[in-house]
Amino acid sequence: MKYAPGATHAPHHPTKEWVEKISAMHLFDQGWNKLREQIFENQKKLGVIPQDTQLEPWPSSILKNWDDLKPEDQKLFIRQAEIYAAYAAYSDHEIGRVVQAIEDMGKLDKRSSSTSTATTVRARKATLSAHRMRWRSSTASMKCRPMYR
């Protein structure tokens, strides 16, 4: 089975509940320069990229530095990022429920073949594990199951 959601293609229509959840996390409030640096350092810490990897200079000729934007532009871009993230998170949550249901039925392919569903699921679980920890506390209040166990 191949799963290719169109969830992150515009227009994005997350529910108010998911937008509020993401907004409350303040993930984007420091702007894209700081977020880029945080993601880069986290990738090093997790071993996704080599420790000696250097972050390329910001392409300021193409995209302004966050601190050079007007406050109203920053507010707009923060909101756009929250909406995008809310819908991506919602999509991940829902496919997690589907995968869990397939696993609960004993029908999940658990072979280690690189083309198997189980391999894809393991990769997805690893990618989303940090999100799961963050979202677990609010998932209960949303009356939803956690994305993955």
Side-chain angles (χ1 to χ4, degrees):
M1 176 173 91
K2 178 174 168 72
Y3 173 70
T8 55
H9 294 282
H12 307 112
H13 298 289
T15 64
K16 182 179 177 184
E17 183 176 51
W18 280 91
V19 173
E20 289 171 353
K21 180 177 173 179
I22 296 296
S23 182
M25 296 167 81
H26 302 283
L27 298 171
F28 308 104
D29 291 359
Q30 293 185 46
W32 46 57
N33 298 91
K34 294 266 193 273
L35 182 60
R36 177 179 182 243
E37 292 167 7
Q38 290 171 347
I39 291 169
F40 183 77
E41 290 306 317
N42 195 43
Q43 288 176 336
K44 279 185 175 183
K45 186 170 73 174
L46 295 172
V48 174
I49 58 176
Q51 291 296 313
D52 62 347
T53 303
Q54 299 295 312
L55 187 60
E56 289 292 316
W58 185 259
S60 55
S61 63
I62 299 170
L63 187 61
K64 288 183 181 181
N65 284 298
W66 185 257
D67 293 336
D68 295 336
L69 296 173
K70 294 182 267 179
E72 59 268 17
D73 291 337
Q74 290 178 348
K75 185 177 178 180
L76 171 67
F77 290 131
I78 289 169
R79 187 63 174 173
Q80 287 177 339
E82 289 170 346
I83 298 297
Y84 177 89
Y87 203 66
Y90 170 74
S91 177
D92 285 344
H93 171 78
E94 292 301 325
I95 192 58
R97 292 178 61 211
V98 171
V99 170
Q100 188 63 55
I102 294 168
E103 188 172 38
D104 291 349
M105 292 185 300
K107 303 277 185 183
L108 186 64
D109 182 355
K110 296 188 180 195
R111 293 175 290 166
S112 62
S113 164
S114 62
T115 59
S116 76
T117 303
T119 301
T120 304
V121 170
R122 281 193 300 276
R124 194 126 182 100
K125 285 181 179 181
T127 302
L128 297 173
S129 64
H131 297 300
R132 180 186 62 199
M133 297 310 245
R134 261 192 188 165
W135 295 335
R136 184 169 281 171
S137 61
S138 58
T139 301
S141 66
M142 293 172 62
K143 297 182 181 156
C144 298
R145 291 173 31 171
M147 287 187 291
Y148 297 110
R149 290 185 198 172

